[in-house]
Amino acid sequence: MKNKWMGLLTLLISIVLLAACSYGGDSSSQGSSGEGEPAAEGEPQKGGKISIPIVADPTFNPWHPNAYAESNVINRVLFSGLTQTGEDLQPIPDLAEDWETSEDELEWTFNLRDDVLWHDGEQFTADDVAFTFNEIVLNEELGSNNTSYFQKLKEVQVVDDYTVKFMLESPVAALPAYLSFNTEIIPQHIFEGQDPWELTSFNKENPVGTGAFKLKSYTSGQNVVLERNDDFYGDIALLDEVEYKVLADANTHVAQLLSGELSIFALDDLAAIDRIESAENVTIEARETPRFFWIIANQEVEKYQDVRVRQAILHSIDRQNIIDTVLKGYATIADAGIAPALKDYYTDDVTRYDYDPERAKELLAEAGWEDTDGDGIVDKDGEPFTIDFEIGIQGDLEAISQMVQQYLVKTGFDVNLNAMEWNSMIQEVVVNRDYEMSLNWWRYPADPDLSAYMHSNSIAGNNITAYQNPELDALLDAGAQTSDVEERKEIYIEAQKFMAEELPYIFLWYPQEAQVRASNLKGVPDLAFGDALHHIHKWYIEE
C-alpha cells in the first residue's frame, strides 16, 4: 500500500500598504509601519505586537527533557517540523513538501524544501533532519523529550541534500502526525559535537530556528520577545513581534488580559470565566483538543499495582462536581485516553466510575486495606495507606488537587499534598520519576495512538506512570501498524475498553480549551491555542 500526501502550504493573504495599528490601547501592543496608508476594510493588517503568558522560564530546545508546556508554545514558533497541524487537525507540509511510504510502510520518504534558512543565515538541509533524529532522538543515553513517538524508528537516511528516508522496524501509521507535534528540527551546525542539554548558549540564551519568528531578546523571569523573520520560507508573518511574558500566577493572566496587556492564551484557571465573559474587547472560544487529565499512581510502588486500588481512587473522586465548579463545565468525564476530539475513534461505551465512596471502600477492603483501628485511615499489615501527592502550580491544578485530596481523605487515604513550582515538578515527577502520585494532563497529536504514554517500551519516555501490560501493548502495536481507519477504529475501541478496566492512568476528564483573546486579534484559525500557533504568520491586529 502506498500513501502519498503532496502539496505546499499555500496561504494566500492579501496585504496592502502598511498602517499604524494598535491593540487594546496598551503601549506594549502598539504597532506602526511608519509609512503607507491604512489597509482596506476587512484586509489583514501588517505590524503590531501581541503578548502571551507562560508560567516559567522556557528552554529553547524542543527535545530537551525539561521542555514542556511553557517551552512548547515558544519552540513551535521559533522552530519548524517536517509537518505541521492543519486546520482540520491532519498533518500538512512544513519543512517537508511531501512524503510517501513504501508498500510495506517501513520506509517513509520526505522531500524537503530547498529554500529554508536558519535564523543565522545557514542553509537548512537533510543533514539537519538526520542529525536531529539519529544523534539526539535515537540516542537513548540522552533521554530526549518525546522520543516515545519514535520507538519504531531505526534511523534516518540522507538520500540527497533535500530528501530523507525514515527507516522503521514496524509500520507507524501516525508518523506524519508525530512529526507535527513538538518534534521540531534543530541545527546540526550548532549542536554537532556538543552536549545538547548543556549547550546553554542555545537552550537558554540564543536559539536558532527556521520558524516565522526569531529571538529578539530574553530576560529570565520576565519575558521572551520574538521578532518577525523576514527570511522565512513561507508567507511572511504579519505581526512585528510576539512577546511571551513569564507570569506564574493565573490571576495575573486574567488581570492583564482584561487590561489589554495580554493578547491570547488558553485559560488554565476557569474561576475567572464569568469576569472574562462580561468584559468588552475580549472573546472566549471553546475548543475540543486531543487531551486528557489524569492522576498517575507510580506503578513501581507496590500498593498501586493492584488495579482495585486504582479503581477505588477513581470511585472516590466526584469528577462531575470538579467539572461543574472549578472547570465551569469546560470538560467531560474521561474513563479512557482517546478524547472526543478524535471522533472517528472515540467511544464512551466503556466501564464507568461514578462517584461512589462506599464502592471505593469495598474495593480497598478486597485489596486488603481496611480501617482496623478506627482512626479514619485504611491500613494493611499495620501500615496506613499514606499518599505523597505532588503537583505543579499552574492554572487551576492546585485547586483541583486540593479537592481530590479531600475526596481521598473521606474514603480513608492519608494524603500529603505537595504543591511545587512548575519546573521543579517537571524535574521531580517527569525527569527523575521521584514521586508517588501526581495530577496533570497529556496533550497529544491528533491521532489515537497512545503508545508514547502507555506502552511498556515507553517507560523511559512519556509513560511516566511505569505501567506495563502485554495485552495493552499488543492493542497499541496493532493500532499503530495499520492505516485503515475502520480497522484502527475497532482496535482502539477495544483498547479504550481495556484502559477503562485496568486504568494505566486514573483518568479524570477530557477538557475543552477555553481560548481567550483580544477581540481585535484576527486571523487565528479555529483550532486549540497550541495548534493555532502553527499558523501564527496569519495572525494580525485589526485597528
Side-chain angles (χ1 to χ4, degrees), residues 1-19:
M1 177 180 176
K2 198 172 188 178
N3 298 313
K4 189 170 185 178
W5 294 263
M6 299 189 67
L8 296 173
L9 179 63
T10 53
L11 304 169
L12 302 178
I13 301 177
S14 176
I15 305 172
V16 294
L17 297 176
L18 304 182

Side-chain angles (χ1 to χ4, degrees), residues 293-506:
F293 271 70
W294 40 255
I295 288 172
I296 48 174
N298 193 333
Q299 293 299 290
E300 294 185 348
V301 178
E302 184 178 358
K303 61 189 176 186
Y304 298 115
Q305 293 171 2
D306 191 322
V307 68
R308 293 169 295 187
V309 170
R310 302 195 296 275
Q311 292 171 340
I313 290 172
L314 194 47
H315 272 305
S316 299
I317 302 168
D318 191 343
R319 291 175 288 170
Q320 191 60 54
N321 184 48
I322 295 175
I323 290 170
D324 292 342
T325 55
V326 179
L327 304 180
K328 306 299 181 183
Y330 278 80
T332 55
I333 285 176
D335 288 304
I338 297 175
L342 302 179
K343 56 183 182 295
D344 285 340
Y345 301 99
Y346 168 75
T347 181
D348 60 2
D349 183 19
V350 298
T351 300
R352 314 295 291 188
Y353 294 88
D354 296 331
Y355 175 53
D356 191 343
E358 292 308 311
R359 177 57 182 152
K361 292 176 182 178
E362 291 173 2
L363 286 164
L364 287 174
E366 291 174 16
W369 294 93
E370 296 184 89
D371 181 9
T372 61
D373 55 9
D375 66 352
I377 300 171
V378 296
D379 55 81
K380 184 178 183 180
D381 299 328
E383 293 293 327
F385 202 128
T386 301
I387 299 174
D388 291 326
F389 188 16
E390 297 185 327
I391 61 106
I393 298 174
Q394 176 166 317
D396 49 25
L397 285 183
E398 188 172 13
I400 290 169
S401 298
Q402 288 169 347
M403 292 183 71
V404 168
Q405 178 189 33
Q406 293 167 8
Y407 286 130
L408 294 180
V409 167
K410 288 180 181 178
T411 298
F413 297 99
D414 181 19
V415 184
N416 303 314
L417 179 61
N418 178 22
M420 63 184 74
E421 185 268 336
W422 180 257
N423 280 343
S424 297
M425 181 280 298
I426 293 294
Q427 187 65 37
E428 290 299 308
V429 176
V430 179
V431 178
N432 298 338
R433 310 294 165 96
D434 184 14
Y435 79 97
E436 185 175 334
M437 194 170 84
S438 190
L439 186 154
N440 217 311
W441 75 88
W442 283 128
R443 165 75 168 89
Y444 52 93
D447 189 275
D449 183 7
L450 297 180
S451 301
Y453 311 97
M454 302 182 192
H455 198 289
S456 300
N457 290 340
S458 298
I459 288 177
N462 288 339
N463 182 0
I464 56 178
T465 189
Y467 179 81
Q468 300 183 69
N469 190 294
E471 188 174 345
L472 181 57
D473 288 348
L475 287 167
L476 294 172
D477 287 339
Q481 293 175 23
T482 178
S483 299
D484 183 88
V485 172
E486 291 305 314
E487 186 177 346
R488 292 188 97 206
K489 186 183 299 184
E490 292 180 8
I491 293 168
Y492 285 118
I493 286 175
E494 188 67 25
Q496 287 170 86
K497 292 179 182 292
F498 187 90
M499 293 175 201
E501 284 286 344
E502 295 296 321
L503 299 180
Y505 290 77
I506 298 169

Side-chain angles (χ1 to χ4, degrees), residues 513-541:
E513 178 182 281
Q515 186 182 119
V516 295
R517 67 174 185 257
S519 299
N520 62 350
L521 176 57
K522 306 296 184 181
V524 182
D526 295 338
L527 293 168
F529 175 60
D531 293 326
L533 287 168
H534 283 297
H535 307 272
I536 197 169
H537 56 284
K538 294 185 283 189
W539 300 10
Y540 66 96
I541 297 168

Side-chain angles (χ1 to χ4, degrees), residues 90-363:
Q90 297 304 305
I92 61 175
D94 196 356
L95 291 174
E97 293 184 312
D98 55 63
W99 53 91
E100 64 182 4
T101 66
S102 59
E103 289 192 11
D104 60 8
E105 298 187 42
L106 296 179
E107 296 182 13
W108 290 70
T109 300
F110 290 83
N111 298 306
L112 309 176
R113 298 183 67 123
D114 62 4
D115 58 350
V116 179
L117 295 177
W118 291 98
H119 292 159
D120 61 3
E122 293 290 323
Q123 185 80 22
F124 160 81
T125 71
D127 288 333
D128 294 304
V129 179
F131 175 82
T132 297
F133 286 94
N134 294 337
E135 303 302 325
I136 305 297
V137 180
L138 296 181
N139 185 341
E140 294 183 2
E141 293 181 1
L142 291 176
S144 303
N145 198 7
N146 291 322
T147 54
S148 296
Y149 298 146
F150 303 102
Q151 294 287 334
K152 304 302 181 181
L153 177 63
K154 293 192 295 185
E155 66 172 332
V156 173
Q157 296 179 354
V158 174
V159 178
D160 57 42
D161 282 350
Y162 298 104
T163 310
V164 294
K165 281 190 176 182
F166 278 62
M167 312 300 291
L168 306 177
E169 294 177 357
S170 58
V172 180
L175 182 62
Y178 287 162
L179 292 170
S180 73
F181 190 76
N182 303 328
T183 55
E184 293 86 9
I185 307 303
I186 59 176
Q188 178 187 24
H189 68 276
I190 294 178
F191 278 94
E192 191 167 33
Q194 305 290 330
D195 183 326
W197 309 155
E198 298 299 325
L199 192 59
T200 303
S201 59
F202 189 102
N203 299 331
K204 286 292 185 180
E205 295 174 5
N206 186 33
V208 174
T210 54
F213 287 84
K214 58 186 179 181
L215 185 72
K216 180 180 181 181
S217 66
Y218 170 44
T219 304
S220 177
Q222 295 185 32
N223 68 353
V224 179
V225 180
L226 308 184
E227 61 183 349
R228 180 173 54 241
N229 174 19
D230 289 323
D231 294 322
F232 184 56
Y233 54 87
D235 289 330
I236 305 302
L238 299 171
L239 296 167
D240 289 333
E241 293 181 353
V242 178
E243 177 189 27
Y244 294 86
K245 302 175 74 171
V246 181
L247 302 168
D249 181 27
N251 292 324
T252 304
H253 297 184
V254 174
Q256 292 200 10
L257 173 74
L258 298 177
S259 66
E261 298 170 78
L262 289 175
S263 310
I264 182 173
F265 56 93
L267 188 65
D268 286 327
D269 187 347
L270 292 159
I273 198 77
D274 293 337
R275 289 172 59 203
I276 297 172
E277 286 176 340
S278 62
E280 295 182 1
N281 302 321
V282 176
T283 62
I284 304 176
E285 301 288 346
R287 301 285 187 230
E288 295 286 351
T289 63
R291 189 180 182 202
F292 64 95
F293 271 70
W294 40 255
I295 288 172
I296 48 174
N298 193 333
Q299 293 299 290
E300 294 185 348
V301 178
E302 184 178 358
K303 61 189 176 186
Y304 298 115
Q305 293 171 2
D306 191 322
V307 68
R308 293 169 295 187
V309 170
R310 302 195 296 275
Q311 292 171 340
I313 290 172
L314 194 47
H315 272 305
S316 299
I317 302 168
D318 191 343
R319 291 175 288 170
Q320 191 60 54
N321 184 48
I322 295 175
I323 290 170
D324 292 342
T325 55
V326 179
L327 304 180
K328 306 299 181 183
Y330 278 80
T332 55
I333 285 176
D335 288 304
I338 297 175
L342 302 179
K343 56 183 182 295
D344 285 340
Y345 301 99
Y346 168 75
T347 181
D348 60 2
D349 183 19
V350 298
T351 300
R352 314 295 291 188
Y353 294 88
D354 296 331
Y355 175 53
D356 191 343
E358 292 308 311
R359 177 57 182 152
K361 292 176 182 178
E362 291 173 2
L363 286 164

